C-alpha cells in the first residue's frame, strides 16, 4: 500500500475516532489470517506496552472459525501514541468468539479496539467485553460490529463496553453496530461512561485504606471484567500487569 490516497479518513466508519493524522502508508500492516479448524480452539494474547510498542501500533487479525470451534482474543493496549487492534471474525455453525480488551492511557494518545463479527451460520455465539481507563487528553475507543446473516438462526451475541475517565479532558467512544437479518436471535449491547465510584472510595477509606490504594483497587476491579473469560491465570496476570504498570504511574 503506497501513497496518501490509500490512507483512511474519519469519513470511514471504522476509523471515525482514529488518529488518522498520525498514519503513514507503511503503518497499515497486512491482515494476518487465522483459520480455526472444526472443533478446535485458538487463543491470541496481545499486549501493546512500553516494552514492545513504537509510536504507532496497528494489529489486524482476520479469523475464520469453523463449525463447533472456539476463538479467544484478549488484549491490553497500554502504549503507543496511536494503537489499534482490529479484528474480523467469521463464525461457522455452533462456533464461539470471545473478546476481552483493555485500553489505558493519558497525554493525547488514542488507543482502540475495532471488531467485526459475522455470524455466518446458525447457533453461533459471541461475547465482547472492553474496558477503557483514560486521563489527561487520552482517548479510548471501541467500534464493534455484529452481523447476523438471514439463515444464522439461534445466534447469541453480546457486546459490553465501559469507560472510566480519571480526569477532565479524557474521552472514550463506543460505537456498537448490529445488522441482523435472522429473526430467532439474542443480540445485546451496552455502553456506559463514568468516573470512580465516590461512595465506594468513601467506604474503603472508612475502613482504613489510603486514597491511593482505594483508587487502585477500584480501577483494578473495573478492568478485570474484561479478563473474566480468560481461564489461563498466567496470561491473565500478564495482561493485568501490563495495564496496571501504566496506571500505577498515574494513580
Amino acid at each position: 500500500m503506497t501513497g496518501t490516497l490509500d490512507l483512511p479518513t474519519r469519513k470511514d466508519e471504522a476509523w471515525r475516532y482514529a488518529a488518522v493524522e498520525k498514519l503513514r502508508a507503511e503503518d497499515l500492516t497486512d491482515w494476518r489470517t487465522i483459520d480455526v479448524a472444526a472443533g478446535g480452539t485458538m487463543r491470541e494474547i496481545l499486549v501493546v506496552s512500553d516494552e514492545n510498542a513504537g509510536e504507532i501500533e496497528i494489529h489486524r487479525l482476520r479469523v475464520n472459525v469453523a463449525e463447533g470451534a472456539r476463538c479467544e482474543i484478549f488484549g491490553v493496549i497500554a502504549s503507543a501514541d496511536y494503537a489499534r487492534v482490529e479484528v474480523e471474525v467469521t463464525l461457522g455453525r455452533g462456533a464461539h468468539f470471545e473478546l476481552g480488551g483493555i485500553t489505558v492511557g493519558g497525554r493525547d494518545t488514542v488507543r482502540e479496539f475495532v471488531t467485526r463479527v459475522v455470524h455466518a451460520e446458525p447457533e453461533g455465539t459471541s461475547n465482547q467485553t472492553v474496558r477503557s481507563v483514560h486521563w489527561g487528553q487520552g482517548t479510548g475507543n471501541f467500534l464493534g460490529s455484529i452481523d447476523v446473516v438471514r439463515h444464522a438462526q439461534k445466534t447469541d451475541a453480546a457486546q459490553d463496553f465501559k469507560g472510566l475517565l480519571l480526569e477532565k479532558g479524557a474521552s472514550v467512544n463506543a460505537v456498537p453496530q448490529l445488522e441482523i437479518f435472522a429473526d430467532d436471535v439474542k443480540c445485546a449491547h451496552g455502553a456506559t461512561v463514568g468516573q470512580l465510584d465516590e461512595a465506594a472510595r468513601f467506604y474503603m477509606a472508612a475502613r482504613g485504606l489510603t486514597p491511593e490504594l482505594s483508587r487502585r483497587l477500584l480501577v483494578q476491579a473495573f478492568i478485570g471484567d474484561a479478563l473474566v473469560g480468560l481461564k489461563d491465570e498466567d496470561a491473565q496476570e500478564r495482561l493485568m500487569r501490563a495495564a496496571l504498570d501504566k496506571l500505577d504511574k498515574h494513580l
Side-chain angles (χ1 to χ4, degrees):
M1 184 178 295
T2 59
T4 57
L5 292 178
D6 293 320
L7 294 177
T9 71
R10 290 195 179 90
K11 293 181 180 179
D12 300 314
E13 184 65 28
W15 297 84
R16 185 190 300 184
Y17 301 104
V20 293
E21 71 280 358
K22 298 179 183 290
L23 287 174
R24 302 160 301 178
E26 57 266 32
D27 295 321
L28 292 179
T29 58
D30 292 333
W31 290 89
R32 178 158 63 95
T33 300
I34 301 172
D35 295 314
V36 186
T41 300
M42 165 263 181
R43 176 183 293 156
E44 183 86 7
I45 304 295
L46 295 170
V47 180
V48 181
S49 67
D50 288 329
E51 295 180 354
N52 58 15
E55 293 182 1
I56 298 174
E57 286 282 326
I58 298 178
H59 299 266
R60 311 176 91 183
L61 301 177
R62 183 172 285 135
V63 187
N64 301 304
V65 189
E67 181 174 354
R70 181 181 181 90
C71 169
E72 300 180 356
I73 297 176
F74 293 90
V76 170
I77 305 176
S79 190
D81 289 341
Y82 173 52
R84 176 184 177 100
V85 172
E86 189 171 359
V87 181
E88 289 189 2
V89 178
T90 301
L91 295 173
R93 178 183 289 271
H96 178 75
F97 171 60
E98 186 79 23
L99 171 75
I102 298 169
T103 70
V104 297
R107 295 187 290 110
D108 60 348
T109 57
V110 178
R111 294 160 186 175
E112 61 187 0
F113 284 90
V114 181
T115 66
R116 182 184 179 212
V117 179
V118 179
H119 286 262
E121 299 293 340
E123 300 174 0
T125 57
S126 63
N127 183 61
Q128 303 176 67
T129 305
V130 176
R131 297 290 182 264
S132 293
V133 183
H134 292 269
W135 59 92
Q137 302 294 316
T139 299
N141 301 323
F142 174 53
L143 288 76
S145 173
I146 296 174
D147 299 343
V148 183
V149 306
R150 192 172 303 278
H151 69 277
Q153 306 294 348
K154 304 296 184 183
T155 286
D156 189 343
Q159 295 176 338
D160 181 48
F161 172 86
K162 291 182 181 177
L164 183 62
L165 304 180
L166 299 181
E167 294 177 352
K168 292 182 178 179
S171 62
V172 297
N173 301 289
V175 184
Q177 294 181 312
L178 305 178
E179 189 169 15
I180 303 169
F181 293 100
D183 55 15
D184 185 8
V185 303
K186 290 171 57 181
C187 292
H189 63 81
T192 61
V193 180
Q195 298 175 324
L196 283 175
D197 186 338
E198 292 301 324
R201 293 179 67 181
F202 177 81
Y203 176 87
M204 297 169 80
R207 278 148 184 79
L209 276 70
T210 65
E212 294 77 14
L213 180 56
S214 298
R215 187 179 173 95
R216 188 183 192 277
L217 290 174
L218 288 171
V219 172
Q220 182 174 336
F222 177 82
I223 63 176
D225 287 347
L227 305 179
V228 169
L230 178 56
K231 304 308 179 185
D232 182 328
E233 291 186 3
D234 290 339
Q236 196 175 76
E237 175 63 25
R238 178 188 173 201
L239 291 170
M240 184 64 77
R241 175 48 50 197
L244 291 176
D245 281 350
K246 178 66 66 174
L247 284 161
D248 283 345
K249 297 174 183 178
H250 179 74
L251 295 172

